[in-house]
Amino acid sequence: MENVHVGKIIKKMKEFAKNKDLNGFKEFTKRVIQENLLNKQLNYSSKRAIIKAINEINLFFADFNKNEEFLLHLLDQERKRQNGKQDYIAFLINLVGELYYFMGQYNFALENYKKALDIRYQLYGDSHPDTIECYSNLALLYTELGRLREAEELFILTLKAYESKISGHIQEYITTIWNAGLMYQYWGKYSLAMEKYLTAMEISQLNVTKELTDSIENNLGVLYLETGNYQAAEQYLQKSSEFTLQYYGINHPKTIITLNNLVSAQMNLEKLDKAEKGFLQLQQTEKSSMPIISLKIKINYAVYIIKTGKTQEALALLKGCLEKNTTPETRIKIFSHIAKIQVIHKNVEKAFETIKKAIFYQKEVIGRRHIQYTKLLGLLGLILIHQNKKDEAFKTLSESTQLQNEILLQVSTSFSKDYAWNFLQKIKGELNELLSLFYILQKESTPKKLVKCKYIQEIYEILLKRKAVVFDAGAERYHQILKKRDPDLKRLFEKLVKIKEEIVLRTTKGYFSDSPEENQKRLNKLTSEAEILENRISIVVPIYSHELKTKQATLQQLKNKIPEKTLFVDIYKFHFFDFFTQEKTPQKEGYIIFYLQKSKTEFLFIENAAEIEKLIKKTESANDNPNRGVIKNSYNEAHDLTPENALGKLWHVLFGTQDIINNSNFDSICFSPDGEFFNLPFEALICKNGEYLIENYRVQYINSGRQLIYEQSNQNNKDTVMIFANPLFEIKKNLKTSVKNNKDRIKQTLFRNELNLFPQLPGTASEAEKIVKVLKKHHINSTSVYTHESVNDSELKKIDSPKILHFATHGFYLENRVDIHPFSRCGIALSGINNILKGELIPFFFEDGMLTGMDILSLNLINTDIVVLSACKTGRGQMASGEGVMGLCSALIASGVSSVMVSIWNVPDIFTVRLMSSFYENLVAGMKKSEALKRSKQKLILSLRTQWGEAPSWIWGGFILYGDDSAIRNLSMPSNIDTVVHGEKN
């Protein structure tokens, strides 16, 4: 009977919540507390159920003060009892901690969570649902406090307990997965955050309530907003705002915050009419209890009305915000927007005064080494240009971009690559300004004056330190530490990474509740500790000083390292910044190209990126010959130019007008491409004499010039070659296992909807046979060949840094799935992939039938000299200015591979066999990798001309070489290990 009584009480309370009747709820709960919670007749289980319901509904109404009074009163009553029940006291203390967490009083929350955990651990141990709940709460609190490694440890412990030791509690399990996603989002590990959110959402949709699903969708929307994917952000936040409006009402904090995030996404998409509707809804809300959120909404609204041209109204609104009690960061942001309006009004002197105030405030209160400071310098540079002080503007923008480079290096050497990649995109505005100003200055100046003012040197050195830093910095130092196998050294390195992570969070994200003064004091202490650790590590591992050297890298250092008879061509894509029109004017893109030799430095501006990118797209033949990938043309333009004509025109643009190509004696060209140039094999360019570039020069590709300055040394003494070829894309036996977990199901669903079935590639079997024959001829017998069923995930996990790793199969890249992490949407096909795409279940050792970029990061390739991806378009991926392609190639290089051969076009099956056989013949003869590829291409070109009278580039041009160009040492040493072939056709 008691359960029925309690059930009726809870049902009645939920009706008040459903009807948004706060007063009725207050009156009813007052009676419930007196009649049921403060007497001794009701058992503790029933009391807990009622208290939990009252607590949830108070949080639903955001009635924090009433909830605090209610919980503390109950806790006081129980403590006064002679034999107060400890598990009940822990239950109440935990709820108090949760309340303080929602109120933002994190110190009080931490104190109560720890008290509750101590009691529950003593009572139940570490695997009881109540103890696990405390761990989960602490993990979420540590997330808010920026103690992310501690949070991760607790989330891992909690999830393992829910998955292996605790049955039921599905809602708590989903909440923990979702909160772990939030932790990874705060940490900048966006791919892991997305994985957790998607897993939690799928389970929630199958098992739980719309409310929980909405919370997860809301977090996904915020994640996409933070990473700049505004289209996906709008999609999720729109759904979430509709739900919260209906479920919580217009005045609930969750509704208000979601609506504000939604209009932010819509403004970034320039959907101002939709944003206006959102702001109209926000104006109807009651925000008196949310002063910080209220201020953010006002600032957001000011940005909106600036975009609509109502600058006077925005100015008045922002000046009103300055009178509020604001945080230093918010105050500086307001100053920035006011200065922008003053520039629009051509009141440049006032704008100068305003931005100077903001800069002074930033330096005094928060500090100079902060991303916000660099943004203020960017705005100051704009104002100086309006004052016609171009030299001062150049100096200011140069300071901004150099400081950003320093912070970027810190980010890239301690944080996940996806956070560093995203961070890079957030700081490119000031570099765009600087390059646009340089473009103006070179139009107005003579080359001699540019050299005298050191403009060229300064511009190039900024690009040298920034370009591809995300993929270059950090990896080789860490790999060297792993090679040392020194536990103490590893511990030092891990400690250093933790310190750098906190430095980055404090200077770029602001997830700490410290005052500006406390934050600066902590930063100074962390910086000193980091310097001490870096010096200790550098003594043992000299290459660790790579970061410091990279910071100081100069143009002269690079030129000294460029080999004789080598031309280095460095390309950078940027947006032309229009200093004199409003933001909504579309930005035109361009390229700056540097041509460097030991004694020369020349540069070229390409003013219209769109025109040259059309030419690059037309170089790729639309041939329908049997190939090693899925042919999906990304453009539908009529081909008014043949690919060969386009290749000739591109040579003329890049080299035809440059004296350097005619007046210099070099036999090798090293390219560091950017933008759409990543999709161009430069060796296929047709020179003035009608020959292909590869017929005259060796060609190598690197991510940045720093790879020439500080060459990577590989200490692999193994003489091992691993070849994976001719997988069985569709297997026909043992189709009886089940999908293991939600993660696999999500991944399989994604690819099933995006990819077509893969045809078999008979040429790959022949390719493997011919490579083995070449290796045996040179007495290289320590070769493992995997074919048919053995080309699977289980075998790949056994890889242990072979000297050479070769894949001959299909490749793919999901170009349109921008909502998925780039490393997760590129890959190569393994055995069983067609079964997966058809929704069939296959034996567990095949796993998902594919090797993605994300999978590559977990392979042991630290000492691998070269990976050859003999498949279509394995060089494709998501591009970002100055940072290369985030795809299979960058995943391999990030994993420590010295060099990678990839294709950037569809490659024909039969001719690829001939090219690869010839390449290995040259490689094992001791040639440099680029020379080996050059000779094999020249041989194929000569053969084709003999047979056909021509050698079209689509046959041989697709493969390019990235990274280290040295010959592979010790490869031809005799070995007693025979070639082993794995796999048989079923």
Side-chain angles (χ1 to χ4, degrees):
M1 292 297 292
E2 186 175 291
N3 289 338
V4 174
H5 172 65
V6 170
K8 286 183 178 179
I9 290 172
I10 294 174
K11 184 179 179 182
K12 181 70 174 175
M13 288 192 293
K14 287 184 175 179
E15 286 176 4
F16 285 117
K18 185 177 180 181
N19 297 323
K20 314 289 190 299
D21 185 359
L22 177 59
N23 292 328
F25 172 72
K26 284 181 177 179
E27 289 298 320
F28 181 72
T29 51
K30 191 185 292 183
R31 293 200 308 274
V32 170
I33 292 167
Q34 291 296 325
E35 296 171 9
N36 296 278
L37 298 181
L38 298 181
N39 65 46
K40 298 181 181 180
Q41 296 175 2
L42 212 58
N43 67 40
Y44 280 107
S45 177
S46 298
K47 284 184 177 181
R48 283 174 65 140
I50 294 173
I51 292 166
K52 199 169 182 180
I54 293 173
N55 178 67
E56 286 175 357
I57 295 170
N58 271 329
L59 293 177
F60 171 86
F61 283 121
D63 196 354
F64 299 138
N65 293 332
K66 190 68 180 176
N67 211 32
E68 182 182 24
E69 180 187 323
F70 159 65
L71 292 173
L72 291 177
H73 182 59
L74 289 177
L75 186 57
D76 185 56
Q77 289 288 319
E78 188 63 23
R79 280 173 169 162
K80 286 178 179 177
R81 291 183 189 276
Q82 189 171 1
N83 296 309
K85 196 169 175 60
Q86 287 301 299
D87 64 339
Y88 180 63
I89 288 173
F91 165 72
L92 292 171
I93 292 172
N94 187 64
L95 289 181
V96 171
E98 187 180 273
L99 173 66
Y100 287 135
Y101 169 81
F102 279 108
M103 295 171 72
Q105 297 181 21
Y106 297 140
N107 289 334
F108 289 135
L110 184 60
E111 181 185 332
N112 282 277
Y113 279 158
K114 285 187 172 180
K115 284 180 182 177
L117 175 61
D118 288 343
I119 296 171
R120 286 174 166 176
Y121 186 83
Q122 291 295 325
L123 290 172
Y124 308 122
D126 65 353
S127 298
H128 190 276
D130 286 358
T131 311
I132 293 300
E133 179 189 33
C134 286
Y135 285 136
S136 183
N137 285 342
L138 268 174
L140 186 58
L141 180 58
Y142 284 152
T143 297
E144 293 292 347
L145 292 170
R147 295 164 60 174
L148 300 174
R149 285 183 175 268
E150 293 171 87
E152 184 182 39
E153 289 173 8
L154 287 175
F155 275 127
I156 290 171
L157 182 153
T158 304
L159 288 171
K160 280 183 178 177
Y162 280 128
E163 288 162 2
S164 61
K165 298 177 181 178
I166 300 173
S167 59
H169 295 272
I170 189 70
Q171 186 159 343
E172 290 84 355
Y173 174 51
I174 294 167
T175 302
T176 304
I177 299 173
W178 155 39
N179 286 336
L182 182 68
M183 179 267 299
Y184 284 124
Q185 181 177 335
Y186 277 24
W187 206 342
K189 298 184 176 183
Y190 298 126
S191 53
L192 288 174
M194 200 177 297
E195 176 190 305
K196 294 296 182 188
Y197 287 153
L198 291 173
T199 302
M201 186 162 67
E202 183 178 42
I203 303 171
S204 177
Q205 288 170 339
L206 291 171
N207 296 281
V208 199
T209 64
K210 288 183 178 179
E211 180 187 359
L212 198 52
T213 300
D214 166 71
S215 296
I216 300 164
E217 288 179 335
N218 187 291
N219 277 35
L220 266 171
V222 175
L223 171 63
Y224 287 128
L225 188 63
E226 184 174 335
T227 54
N229 189 345
Y230 302 120
Q231 198 166 1
E234 184 192 28
Q235 175 189 335
Y236 280 106
L237 291 168
Q238 183 69 55
K239 286 163 65 177
S240 182
S241 66
E242 290 168 2
F243 177 85
T244 53
L245 195 60
Q246 181 181 0
Y247 187 81
Y248 294 102
I250 190 72
N251 291 314
H252 195 275
K254 190 169 182 180
T255 306
I256 294 169
I257 292 168
T258 302
L259 278 173
N260 191 44
N261 286 331
L262 175 61
V263 297
S264 295
Q266 289 167 338
M267 284 197 296
N268 278 292
L269 291 168
E270 296 295 331
K271 295 182 178 181
L272 301 185
D273 52 339
K274 287 189 175 182
E276 183 179 23
K277 291 178 184 176
F279 279 120
L280 288 173
Q281 285 181 304
L282 284 168
Q283 287 171 10
Q284 301 169 25
T285 61
E286 171 52 51
K287 301 179 284 291
S288 58
S289 62
M290 305 168 62
I292 295 175
I293 295 298
S294 178
L295 195 60
K296 284 182 178 178
I297 291 169
K298 285 181 180 177
I299 295 170
N300 218 12
Y301 184 62
V303 173
Y304 161 74
I305 56 181
I306 290 171
K307 285 177 176 287
T308 60
K310 301 174 184 176
T311 51
Q312 291 290 1
E313 186 180 337
L315 189 60
L317 181 60
L318 289 167
K319 285 182 175 177
C321 290
L322 275 178
E323 297 169 5
K324 306 286 183 184
N325 185 20
T326 63
T327 63
E329 289 89 350
T330 305
R331 194 167 187 81
I332 290 165
K333 195 173 287 186
I334 294 168
F335 276 132
S336 297
H337 289 308
I338 290 174
K340 287 176 187 174
I341 293 172
Q342 289 166 335
V343 171
I344 292 169
H345 290 168
K346 303 194 184 305
N347 198 338
V348 183
E349 295 306 319
K350 274 196 173 181
F352 183 79
E353 291 172 13
T354 303
I355 205 63
K356 278 291 188 182
K357 280 182 193 174
I359 289 172
F360 175 80
Y361 198 48
Q362 171 78 30
K363 287 164 76 173
E364 291 295 311
V365 180
I366 298 174
R368 174 184 170 274
R369 192 181 170 79
H370 196 284
I371 192 63
Q372 189 165 252
Y373 177 68
T374 70
K375 295 290 180 184
L376 293 174
L377 289 179
L379 186 50
L380 175 59
L382 170 65
I383 292 166
L384 288 168
I385 289 171
H386 276 261
Q387 292 178 321
N388 203 28
K389 299 176 180 177
K390 294 190 182 76
D391 289 334
E392 284 185 51
F394 188 93
K395 183 179 177 182
T396 300
L397 292 171
S398 178
E399 180 189 352
S400 173
T401 50
Q402 288 180 41
L403 184 53
Q404 286 176 349
N405 282 351
E406 291 177 24
I407 299 173
L408 176 62
L409 269 172
Q410 201 109 54
V411 170
S412 65
T413 55
S414 56
F415 261 62
S416 63
K417 293 204 178 295
D418 47 344
Y419 175 67
W421 176 285
N422 180 252
F423 177 79
L424 184 79
Q425 306 319 302
K426 291 182 178 180
I427 63 173
K428 63 184 179 182
E430 288 67 39
L431 184 55
N432 285 334
E433 279 190 73
L434 181 62
L435 290 173
S436 300
L437 177 57
F438 180 55
Y439 173 75
I440 294 170
L441 289 169
Q442 62 94 28
K443 286 279 189 183
E444 297 174 350
S445 308
T446 63
K448 284 186 179 180
K449 185 180 177 185
L450 290 174
V451 171
K452 186 178 179 182
C453 296
K454 295 187 177 179
Y455 286 148
I456 296 174
Q457 179 179 333
E458 202 162 332
I459 285 286
Y460 185 74
E461 288 176 359
I462 287 168
L463 292 177
L464 176 65
K465 292 167 190 174
R466 175 164 301 195
K467 190 176 181 185
V469 69
V470 173
F471 291 114
D472 287 352
E476 62 188 78
R477 296 192 323 272
Y478 185 60
H479 296 150
Q480 284 288 69
I481 289 170
L482 288 178
K483 289 174 196 173
K484 293 285 182 181
R485 308 287 184 186
D486 184 336
D488 292 330
L489 197 59
K490 288 181 186 178
R491 280 193 288 272
L492 277 181
F493 186 80
E494 288 299 320
K495 186 177 179 182
L496 176 62
V497 169
K498 287 179 185 179
I499 290 171
K500 284 192 169 187
E501 283 177 346
E502 187 175 340
I503 290 172
V504 170
L505 286 169
R506 287 179 179 273
T507 54
T508 64
K509 302 194 84 165
Y511 288 138
F512 295 84
S513 55
D514 296 347
S515 69
E517 295 80 6
E518 291 170 332
N519 187 61
Q520 192 58 49
K521 187 176 179 181
R522 176 69 177 160
L523 275 172
N524 293 339
K525 184 173 184 293
L526 290 168
T527 303
S528 297
E529 290 177 5
E531 288 174 359
I532 292 168
L533 287 173
E534 282 181 333
N535 290 333
R536 288 178 64 186
I537 293 170
S538 296
I539 292 169
V540 184
V541 186
I543 200 170
Y544 188 80
S545 60
H546 170 80
E547 179 181 337
L548 295 177
K549 290 179 180 178
T550 302
K551 287 179 182 178
Q552 299 159 4
T554 65
L555 174 60
Q556 192 56 51
Q557 280 179 305
L558 173 58
K559 290 171 85 171
N560 290 341
K561 283 287 186 177
I562 295 174
E564 293 289 347
K565 296 189 175 183
T566 296
L567 172 67
F568 177 46
V569 181
D570 205 348
I571 304 172
Y572 194 91
K573 185 178 183 180
F574 69 101
H575 283 85
F576 280 102
F577 188 91
D578 192 333
F579 297 101
F580 299 101
T581 60
Q582 294 187 29
E583 287 183 16
K584 53 187 178 182
T585 305
Q587 289 183 316
K588 187 173 75 169
E589 293 179 311
Y591 288 93
I592 183 170
I593 304 177
F594 285 89
Y595 303 84
L596 305 178
Q597 287 182 289
K598 281 190 176 293
S599 58
K600 290 183 181 179
T601 303
E602 298 187 30
F603 69 92
L604 169 73
F605 273 104
I606 294 177
E607 299 178 20
N608 192 329
E611 286 184 7
I612 201 163
E613 288 173 353
K614 283 181 182 178
L615 276 177
I616 293 172
K617 287 181 179 179
K618 289 177 180 179
T619 63
E620 184 182 352
S621 173
N623 76 84
D624 57 358
N625 288 275
N627 65 90
R628 299 189 179 183
V630 181
I631 298 178
K632 285 187 178 178
N633 290 331
S634 56
Y635 56 96
N636 297 308
E637 298 177 46
H639 280 251
D640 54 339
L641 279 176
T642 66
E644 310 306 294
N645 285 341
L647 289 165
K649 282 182 172 291
L650 282 166
W651 182 88
H652 181 76
V653 171
L654 294 172
F655 298 107
T657 59
Q658 301 294 307
D659 290 338
I660 197 166
I661 200 82
N662 299 317
N663 301 336
S664 301
N665 180 28
F666 55 87
D667 58 18
S668 174
I669 307 179
C670 181
F671 291 96
S672 178
D674 200 17
E676 195 64 34
F677 281 103
F678 275 108
N679 296 327
L680 174 69
F682 287 87
E683 46 263 79
L685 296 178
I686 298 176
C687 306
K688 192 175 182 180
N689 62 5
E691 294 181 330
Y692 291 109
L693 193 75
I694 196 67
E695 296 183 79
N696 299 292
Y697 306 100
R698 284 191 296 114
V699 178
Q700 176 195 2
Y701 298 80
I702 57 176
N703 282 322
S704 76
R706 286 191 308 282
Q707 286 180 260
L708 293 176
I709 299 175
Y710 309 114
E711 295 174 359
Q712 184 173 336
S713 62
N714 197 301
Q715 300 177 357
N716 192 351
N717 294 316
K718 296 180 182 178
D719 187 19
T720 55
V721 180
M722 296 183 76
I723 300 171
F724 291 83
N726 195 25
L728 285 178
F729 300 122
E730 184 166 349
I731 57 176
K732 297 175 181 177
K733 61 183 180 181
N734 300 325
L735 308 182
K736 57 185 179 181
T737 192
S738 60
V739 176
K740 289 186 292 184
N741 55 48
N742 288 290
K743 175 185 173 183
D744 288 339
R745 183 159 65 221
I746 291 167
K747 191 175 181 181
Q748 292 175 17
T749 302
L750 163 66
F751 287 95
R752 193 156 62 238
N753 294 335
E754 295 289 338
L755 292 174
N756 299 321
L757 296 181
F758 291 92
Q760 283 299 132
L761 290 169
T764 61
S766 174
E767 181 174 315
E769 290 171 7
K770 287 181 180 296
I771 293 172
V772 169
K773 189 175 179 181
V774 168
L775 296 174
K776 279 189 172 183
K777 187 175 81 171
H778 289 266
H779 309 291
I780 302 164
N781 297 320
S782 54
T783 303
S784 296
V785 181
Y786 297 81
T787 63
H788 308 316
E789 287 190 351
S790 67
V791 185
N792 62 61
D793 275 312
S794 296
E795 294 295 343
L796 287 170
K797 286 177 179 175
K798 299 175 187 176
I799 289 175
D800 184 18
S801 286
K803 188 175 282 287
I804 297 175
L805 179 60
H806 186 100
F807 292 99
T809 179
H810 282 295
F812 61 84
Y813 172 62
L814 307 184
E815 193 168 353
N816 298 320
R817 289 306 300 265
V818 294
D819 56 324
I820 305 299
H821 190 273
F823 281 169
S824 295
R825 51 192 167 106
C826 60
I828 58 174
L830 307 178
S831 292
I833 189 170
N834 285 350
N835 303 85
I836 296 292
L837 296 177
K838 291 196 290 186
E840 295 175 353
L841 303 179
I842 56 177
F844 70 90
F845 60 85
F846 289 98
E847 296 193 12
D848 55 19
M850 64 190 79
L851 180 74
T852 67
M854 197 62 72
D855 296 330
I856 284 169
L857 296 177
S858 63
L859 296 181
N860 182 13
L861 300 172
I862 288 171
N863 291 315
T864 298
D865 268 285
I866 186 169
V867 173
V868 178
L869 296 178
S870 184
C872 284
K873 295 189 175 181
T874 48
R876 295 295 177 98
Q878 181 173 309
M879 292 183 289
S881 296
E883 204 44 46
V885 178
M886 206 167 188
L888 292 175
C889 181
S890 55
L892 286 162
I893 290 174
S895 298
V897 176
S898 296
S899 51
V900 183
M901 189 192 293
V902 293
S903 63
I904 49 181
W905 291 344
N906 287 319
V907 294
D909 193 28
I910 296 172
F911 291 108
T912 297
V913 175
R914 293 168 61 182
L915 183 73
M916 288 298 165
S917 174
S918 177
F919 171 71
Y920 277 94
E921 187 75 55
N922 297 325
L923 193 66
V924 297
M927 292 183 191
K928 285 188 171 185
K929 296 164 193 167
S930 65
E931 182 67 24
L933 184 58
K934 173 192 172 186
R935 295 280 186 93
S936 60
K937 288 187 174 184
Q938 287 177 334
K939 181 179 178 181
L940 186 53
I941 289 169
L942 181 61
S943 172
L944 289 168
R945 284 192 179 135
T946 302
Q947 289 179 288
W948 298 358
E950 61 175 354
S953 57
W954 65 265
I955 292 177
W956 53 266
F959 285 104
I960 63 172
L961 177 71
Y962 260 101
D964 175 63
D965 187 34
S966 59
I968 299 181
R969 295 183 297 276
N970 304 325
L971 188 59
S972 59
M973 290 176 64
S975 171
N976 295 321
I977 304 173
D978 290 330
T979 299
V980 180
V981 180
H982 305 261
E984 59 178 335
K985 195 167 183 177
N986 65 342

